[in-house]
Amino acid sequence: MRRTFLTRLRINGSYYVLGGLLLLLGAPLYQWLWLLPQGYGEALTAASRGQFADYVLWLHLHVWSFALYRLLQMVAFALTLSLPFTLFRIIVAQEVLGRDEEEAGATTGEEASPAAEEGAADGPGAAVAASDKPLPQTAEELLAVPWRGKGFAVIAAWAGMLGILLLVLGNLASTVYQVGVARTFTAEMVLTPSFALVAGICTLVSTTAGGLLLALATLLFGFIIVRSGLQLWPPLWVALGYVAMLLALFLTGSAVQVALSPASGQAFLTTPAFLLFACWTLWLGLILVRLRPSPAS
């Protein structure tokens, strides 16, 4: 049962590594090597100036290239959809282990077992494997215990999942709509004002609403980890918590900037925020992939 939990963490970690690499390298390289030489940068500049006809005309000429670029982004975010609840389970498991060690130390006055110490050094997943008590394996089991279903962790988990879901669905709706309009658009046609309105709403849903929810999740996750600090978490996880709080600032700034100008599709902080999210996701994924069960498990 404990090995199954650890194996699930490693499998999820591989998804986050792949998603982080797609966001950090796959989509940017595709944009830089393929889209920009075809005039994508000029099309975005035209859209930011309100010249949406020029932007849609470019889409008409490169519709499938644009669709593939958006697909890479959506797949990358979709691969991280389970990340908030995975991190939630890790936090709960680590706190359970910490409480068990405190109770054991208070009642016996003995030091923690070597297996538990080695698990804590390797990371929360390994520490979970070293615990004597079987831990919950699903979100439903975690939420069935009252104190585990309350507080910052569960808010962060739901906010993070909804935020990523809005990022995927908002991008999907935007892509389908823009591709549908661009396929039949020609230079002789007049673009209706509704294009900017619909595109702006899709951007507000994905980058603003989704970004704010994701910012809330990363802020709370970071706060929970940093609050316990080295007393409960290895140094690598504490550093991950601080980066999560920094990421929340970037995501919030991007969401606010986009809200002030939704028709442009993105803002100055949008690219740095998503690149930092990709690095943070990749970092977490690598930690989970490298987890190993302790010899005592």
Side-chain angles (χ1 to χ4, degrees):
M1 194 71 169
R2 293 186 295 249
R3 268 186 197 277
T4 301
F5 179 61
L6 184 60
T7 301
R8 190 175 305 170
L9 290 180
R10 294 173 61 187
I11 293 174
N12 288 344
S14 65
Y15 293 151
Y16 310 150
V17 169
L18 181 57
L21 288 175
L22 283 177
L23 277 178
L24 186 63
L25 297 176
L29 284 177
Y30 179 80
Q31 178 182 2
W32 183 54
L33 296 176
W34 184 254
L35 291 183
L36 292 182
Q38 298 185 50
Y40 182 60
E42 291 78 2
L44 288 178
T45 301
S48 64
R49 294 174 179 173
Q51 301 170 354
F52 296 105
D54 295 339
Y55 172 75
V56 176
L57 184 60
W58 182 90
L59 286 180
H60 174 75
L61 299 174
H62 308 88
V63 61
W64 296 116
S65 298
F66 172 78
L68 180 58
Y69 173 65
R70 285 293 187 89
L71 180 62
L72 286 175
Q73 293 180 320
M74 287 184 285
V75 169
F77 282 114
L79 287 171
T80 66
L81 187 60
S82 65
L83 187 151
F85 272 99
T86 295
L87 195 50
F88 170 67
R89 292 167 185 153
I90 292 173
I91 288 173
V92 170
Q94 192 72 353
E95 290 186 354
V96 168
L97 179 63
R99 290 190 176 195
D100 289 346
E101 290 179 347
E102 289 180 1
E103 292 174 358
T107 55
T108 65
E110 299 177 355
E111 296 182 354
S113 66
E117 291 179 358
E118 182 175 353
D122 293 338
V128 169
S131 177
D132 292 334
K133 293 185 178 181
L135 297 176
Q137 304 298 308
T138 65
E140 291 76 12
E141 293 175 356
L142 290 172
L143 294 175
V145 182
W147 73 267
R148 295 174 192 169
K150 299 178 181 179
F152 293 147
V154 70
I155 295 175
W158 283 108
M161 189 188 70
L162 291 176
I164 295 174
L165 191 61
L166 287 180
L167 279 167
V168 174
L169 295 179
N171 272 320
L172 178 61
S174 175
T175 303
V176 171
Y177 175 72
Q178 293 187 42
V179 168
V181 172
R183 289 188 63 183
T184 59
F185 187 78
T186 61
E188 294 77 17
M189 298 177 62
V190 177
L191 189 65
T192 61
S194 62
F195 177 84
L197 177 62
V198 176
I201 292 174
C202 293
T203 302
L204 288 175
V205 170
S206 61
T207 310
T208 299
L212 285 176
L213 286 172
L214 191 56
L216 176 62
T218 54
L219 177 64
L220 294 179
F221 278 137
F223 172 75
I224 292 170
I225 295 174
V226 170
R227 178 185 59 182
S228 301
L230 296 176
Q231 296 179 351
L232 191 62
W233 299 92
L236 196 61
W237 282 83
V238 176
L240 189 72
Y242 280 111
V243 174
M245 298 174 72
L246 177 63
L247 173 59
L249 296 178
F250 275 84
L251 289 170
T252 302
S254 169
V256 172
Q257 286 184 333
V258 169
L260 296 176
S261 181
S264 61
Q266 62 179 4
F268 174 75
L269 288 176
T270 301
T271 298
F274 286 143
L275 289 179
L276 183 58
F277 174 74
C279 293
W280 185 74
T281 301
L282 179 61
W283 186 358
L284 176 61
L286 290 174
I287 292 176
L288 297 182
V289 168
R290 295 178 65 251
L291 290 178
R292 295 293 183 273
S294 66
S297 62

